Amino acid sequence: MTELLTAIFIRDKDNIKDARVRQAYGTLGGAVGICCNVLLFLIKMLAGLLTGAISIMADAFNNLSDAGSSIVTLIGFRMAGRPADPDHPFGHGRIEYLSGLFVAVAIILMGAELLQSAVEKILHPQMPSYTMTALVILVISILLKFWMSRFNRILGDRIDSEAMRATAADSLSDCISTGTVLLGAVFTYFTEKNIDGFVGLFVAAFVLWAGIHAVKETIQPLLGAAPDPELVEAVSSEVLKEDLVLGIHDMVVHDYGPGRRMISLHAEVPYNEDLLTIHDVIDNIEMRICREFQCEITIHMDPVVTDDREVNEAKEMVKEIVSSLDASWSIHDFRMVRGQTHTNLIFDVVVPVTALKEKGEIASKIREKISQKDKKYFAVIQVEQAYA
């Protein structure tokens, strides 16, 4: 069904790197969500009114909130697809993250309302009157919500959308909450024992948990989460394909919304190569990465000495020392400045952000180890954090 809908409503559906195709996916997901959730609200509300079950009516209003969330997601995709302008030179892609966050907050608010209604039902119980029609409606609702979860997950993974993944998670949580309502209804139907309020309490707690989880997932890109390790590895491999690139460091990835990344990094190149030749190589790398990863990238060239035996031996010594202290640390921008009384070894040490508070101690340890190896060396060290 998913492939059929995308084939009918999305032109050139496989070209997901095209912003217009991506927006079409978001529009389709939002439209399907609105239609299905409104339908579920109507049939569940009918079942709730017929039985008087607070758990079913709570589940119905949960679907109504989902319909509102689908509208927000639809609007979010439309606004996120707007091109860059003078006030927003990187485009409006982060609006998609905001729409996902809005959906998550709406889920939490609905969970709070359901929690209040369930508590009132426990304190003032009224025996619901379940019918076979109501039970069938709940079964149909579960099946439809499971399909919606699968549908949104496929679309979200295909276009890498956190907003659609949040919607998929919400639909899956609805399957579980409606399943709980169904089990409670079956129990009451056959035993005539009223557990409606307690079932409603469970549903409310589950909705709240799903909302809090969705908030965590959608807020990370807005706060500046670390880039996907697979992206970092893929970009690194692409840069290092060139023989003239000896190493890379200081990669930084800025996320301005799906398909709107800005990447910067330093590429180490031989100091004695022709500058124009190296510049041409770097330009070609940048163009390939822009096409392959749908991003903008700036590569800074760092010349390194490759034909000085003393420099190379000192560099290898420093690498071994740093690695022996912590395998996660690395060095770059290594230079040697010789003097009459001592020789300066100048380099940067990259450490995880959690180790930055100890950067003074880190520099001292490395400096001491180097001095133990050779008294003539004095280390000038800059300790910095890894951003990727």
PDB file of all heavy atoms in Angstrom, residues 280-292 295 297:
ATOM      1  N   ASP A 280      43.332  22.724  -6.881  1.00  0.00           N
ATOM      2  CA  ASP A 280      42.429  22.095  -7.840  1.00  0.00           C
ATOM      3  C   ASP A 280      41.894  20.772  -7.286  1.00  0.00           C
ATOM      4  O   ASP A 280      40.706  20.454  -7.433  1.00  0.00           O
ATOM      5  CB  ASP A 280      43.176  21.856  -9.153  1.00  0.00           C
ATOM      6  CG  ASP A 280      42.256  21.339 -10.247  1.00  0.00           C
ATOM      7  OD1 ASP A 280      41.232  21.990 -10.517  1.00  0.00           O
ATOM      8  OD2 ASP A 280      42.544  20.268 -10.818  1.00  0.00           O
ATOM      9  N   VAL A 281      42.762  20.000  -6.624  1.00  0.00           N
ATOM     10  CA  VAL A 281      42.336  18.728  -6.020  1.00  0.00           C
ATOM     11  C   VAL A 281      41.278  18.973  -4.944  1.00  0.00           C
ATOM     12  O   VAL A 281      40.249  18.281  -4.893  1.00  0.00           O
ATOM     13  CB  VAL A 281      43.550  17.991  -5.416  1.00  0.00           C
ATOM     14  CG1 VAL A 281      43.090  16.816  -4.538  1.00  0.00           C
ATOM     15  CG2 VAL A 281      44.467  17.489  -6.517  1.00  0.00           C
ATOM     16  N   ILE A 282      41.522  19.956  -4.094  1.00  0.00           N
ATOM     17  CA  ILE A 282      40.570  20.279  -3.020  1.00  0.00           C
ATOM     18  C   ILE A 282      39.237  20.732  -3.595  1.00  0.00           C
ATOM     19  O   ILE A 282      38.157  20.343  -3.111  1.00  0.00           O
ATOM     20  CB  ILE A 282      41.149  21.353  -2.079  1.00  0.00           C
ATOM     21  CG1 ILE A 282      42.384  20.828  -1.344  1.00  0.00           C
ATOM     22  CG2 ILE A 282      40.088  21.823  -1.076  1.00  0.00           C
ATOM     23  CD1 ILE A 282      42.128  19.647  -0.447  1.00  0.00           C
ATOM     24  N   ASP A 283      39.269  21.535  -4.649  1.00  0.00           N
ATOM     25  CA  ASP A 283      38.027  21.976  -5.302  1.00  0.00           C
ATOM     26  C   ASP A 283      37.221  20.781  -5.804  1.00  0.00           C
ATOM     27  O   ASP A 283      35.995  20.725  -5.644  1.00  0.00           O
ATOM     28  CB  ASP A 283      38.340  22.903  -6.474  1.00  0.00           C
ATOM     29  CG  ASP A 283      38.522  24.351  -6.033  1.00  0.00           C
ATOM     30  OD1 ASP A 283      38.202  24.652  -4.870  1.00  0.00           O
ATOM     31  OD2 ASP A 283      38.973  25.170  -6.843  1.00  0.00           O
ATOM     32  N   ASN A 284      37.909  19.823  -6.424  1.00  0.00           N
ATOM     33  CA  ASN A 284      37.218  18.639  -6.942  1.00  0.00           C
ATOM     34  C   ASN A 284      36.607  17.812  -5.812  1.00  0.00           C
ATOM     35  O   ASN A 284      35.500  17.276  -5.948  1.00  0.00           O
ATOM     36  CB  ASN A 284      38.198  17.774  -7.748  1.00  0.00           C
ATOM     37  CG  ASN A 284      38.596  18.420  -9.058  1.00  0.00           C
ATOM     38  OD1 ASN A 284      37.844  19.215  -9.619  1.00  0.00           O
ATOM     39  ND2 ASN A 284      39.786  18.096  -9.559  1.00  0.00           N
ATOM     40  N   ILE A 285      37.318  17.702  -4.699  1.00  0.00           N
ATOM     41  CA  ILE A 285      36.772  16.975  -3.541  1.00  0.00           C
ATOM     42  C   ILE A 285      35.499  17.657  -3.045  1.00  0.00           C
ATOM     43  O   ILE A 285      34.494  17.003  -2.762  1.00  0.00           O
ATOM     44  CB  ILE A 285      37.812  16.893  -2.406  1.00  0.00           C
ATOM     45  CG1 ILE A 285      39.015  16.060  -2.822  1.00  0.00           C
ATOM     46  CG2 ILE A 285      37.176  16.304  -1.141  1.00  0.00           C
ATOM     47  CD1 ILE A 285      40.153  16.080  -1.821  1.00  0.00           C
ATOM     48  N   GLU A 286      35.550  18.970  -2.915  1.00  0.00           N
ATOM     49  CA  GLU A 286      34.384  19.718  -2.425  1.00  0.00           C
ATOM     50  C   GLU A 286      33.178  19.521  -3.332  1.00  0.00           C
ATOM     51  O   GLU A 286      32.047  19.321  -2.851  1.00  0.00           O
ATOM     52  CB  GLU A 286      34.737  21.202  -2.312  1.00  0.00           C
ATOM     53  CG  GLU A 286      35.688  21.525  -1.172  1.00  0.00           C
ATOM     54  CD  GLU A 286      36.074  22.988  -1.134  1.00  0.00           C
ATOM     55  OE1 GLU A 286      35.984  23.660  -2.193  1.00  0.00           O
ATOM     56  OE2 GLU A 286      36.482  23.472  -0.062  1.00  0.00           O
ATOM     57  N   MET A 287      33.387  19.563  -4.644  1.00  0.00           N
ATOM     58  CA  MET A 287      32.264  19.395  -5.572  1.00  0.00           C
ATOM     59  C   MET A 287      31.678  17.989  -5.483  1.00  0.00           C
ATOM     60  O   MET A 287      30.448  17.818  -5.527  1.00  0.00           O
ATOM     61  CB  MET A 287      32.732  19.703  -7.001  1.00  0.00           C
ATOM     62  CG  MET A 287      32.948  21.186  -7.271  1.00  0.00           C
ATOM     63  SD  MET A 287      33.289  21.584  -9.006  1.00  0.00           S
ATOM     64  CE  MET A 287      34.963  20.943  -9.172  1.00  0.00           C
ATOM     65  N   ARG A 288      32.540  16.966  -5.351  1.00  0.00           N
ATOM     66  CA  ARG A 288      32.044  15.588  -5.235  1.00  0.00           C
ATOM     67  C   ARG A 288      31.210  15.403  -3.971  1.00  0.00           C
ATOM     68  O   ARG A 288      30.145  14.789  -4.006  1.00  0.00           O
ATOM     69  CB  ARG A 288      33.210  14.591  -5.221  1.00  0.00           C
ATOM     70  CG  ARG A 288      33.880  14.376  -6.550  1.00  0.00           C
ATOM     71  CD  ARG A 288      34.598  13.016  -6.588  1.00  0.00           C
ATOM     72  NE  ARG A 288      35.445  12.791  -5.431  1.00  0.00           N
ATOM     73  CZ  ARG A 288      36.723  13.135  -5.371  1.00  0.00           C
ATOM     74  NH1 ARG A 288      37.297  13.768  -6.379  1.00  0.00           N
ATOM     75  NH2 ARG A 288      37.434  12.853  -4.290  1.00  0.00           N
ATOM     76  N   ILE A 289      31.693  15.943  -2.866  1.00  0.00           N
ATOM     77  CA  ILE A 289      30.978  15.782  -1.598  1.00  0.00           C
ATOM     78  C   ILE A 289      29.648  16.534  -1.636  1.00  0.00           C
ATOM     79  O   ILE A 289      28.634  16.046  -1.114  1.00  0.00           O
ATOM     80  CB  ILE A 289      31.862  16.251  -0.424  1.00  0.00           C
ATOM     81  CG1 ILE A 289      33.014  15.262  -0.232  1.00  0.00           C
ATOM     82  CG2 ILE A 289      31.046  16.367   0.864  1.00  0.00           C
ATOM     83  CD1 ILE A 289      33.998  15.650   0.833  1.00  0.00           C
ATOM     84  N   CYS A 290      29.640  17.708  -2.239  1.00  0.00           N
ATOM     85  CA  CYS A 290      28.377  18.458  -2.352  1.00  0.00           C
ATOM     86  C   CYS A 290      27.329  17.659  -3.109  1.00  0.00           C
ATOM     87  O   CYS A 290      26.159  17.613  -2.722  1.00  0.00           O
ATOM     88  CB  CYS A 290      28.622  19.792  -3.056  1.00  0.00           C
ATOM     89  SG  CYS A 290      29.421  21.028  -2.023  1.00  0.00           S
ATOM     90  N   ARG A 291      27.752  17.013  -4.201  1.00  0.00           N
ATOM     91  CA  ARG A 291      26.806  16.222  -4.998  1.00  0.00           C
ATOM     92  C   ARG A 291      26.372  14.955  -4.253  1.00  0.00           C
ATOM     93  O   ARG A 291      25.194  14.608  -4.243  1.00  0.00           O
ATOM     94  CB  ARG A 291      27.438  15.829  -6.339  1.00  0.00           C
ATOM     95  CG  ARG A 291      27.614  16.964  -7.326  1.00  0.00           C
ATOM     96  CD  ARG A 291      27.927  16.418  -8.716  1.00  0.00           C
ATOM     97  NE  ARG A 291      29.107  15.550  -8.713  1.00  0.00           N
ATOM     98  CZ  ARG A 291      30.347  15.967  -8.958  1.00  0.00           C
ATOM     99  NH1 ARG A 291      30.551  17.253  -9.235  1.00  0.00           N
ATOM    100  NH2 ARG A 291      31.363  15.125  -8.940  1.00  0.00           N
ATOM    101  N   GLU A 292      27.325  14.286  -3.629  1.00  0.00           N
ATOM    102  CA  GLU A 292      27.048  12.995  -3.018  1.00  0.00           C
ATOM    103  C   GLU A 292      26.228  13.106  -1.733  1.00  0.00           C
ATOM    104  O   GLU A 292      25.327  12.300  -1.487  1.00  0.00           O
ATOM    105  CB  GLU A 292      28.370  12.281  -2.707  1.00  0.00           C
ATOM    106  CG  GLU A 292      28.224  10.929  -2.046  1.00  0.00           C
ATOM    107  CD  GLU A 292      27.597   9.890  -2.959  1.00  0.00           C
ATOM    108  OE1 GLU A 292      27.679  10.064  -4.200  1.00  0.00           O
ATOM    109  OE2 GLU A 292      27.023   8.922  -2.442  1.00  0.00           O
ATOM    110  N   CYS A 295      25.197  18.696   0.578  1.00  0.00           N
ATOM    111  CA  CYS A 295      25.624  19.613   1.625  1.00  0.00           C
ATOM    112  C   CYS A 295      26.564  20.653   1.026  1.00  0.00           C
ATOM    113  O   CYS A 295      26.934  20.567  -0.150  1.00  0.00           O
ATOM    114  CB  CYS A 295      26.343  18.852   2.751  1.00  0.00           C
ATOM    115  SG  CYS A 295      27.904  18.113   2.207  1.00  0.00           S
ATOM    116  N   ILE A 297      30.395  22.297   1.711  1.00  0.00           N
ATOM    117  CA  ILE A 297      31.602  21.938   2.445  1.00  0.00           C
ATOM    118  C   ILE A 297      32.734  22.902   2.127  1.00  0.00           C
ATOM    119  O   ILE A 297      32.861  23.372   0.988  1.00  0.00           O
ATOM    120  CB  ILE A 297      32.039  20.487   2.141  1.00  0.00           C
ATOM    121  CG1 ILE A 297      33.250  20.093   3.006  1.00  0.00           C
ATOM    122  CG2 ILE A 297      32.328  20.292   0.659  1.00  0.00           C
ATOM    123  CD1 ILE A 297      33.567  18.622   2.989  1.00  0.00           C
TER     124      ILE A 297
END
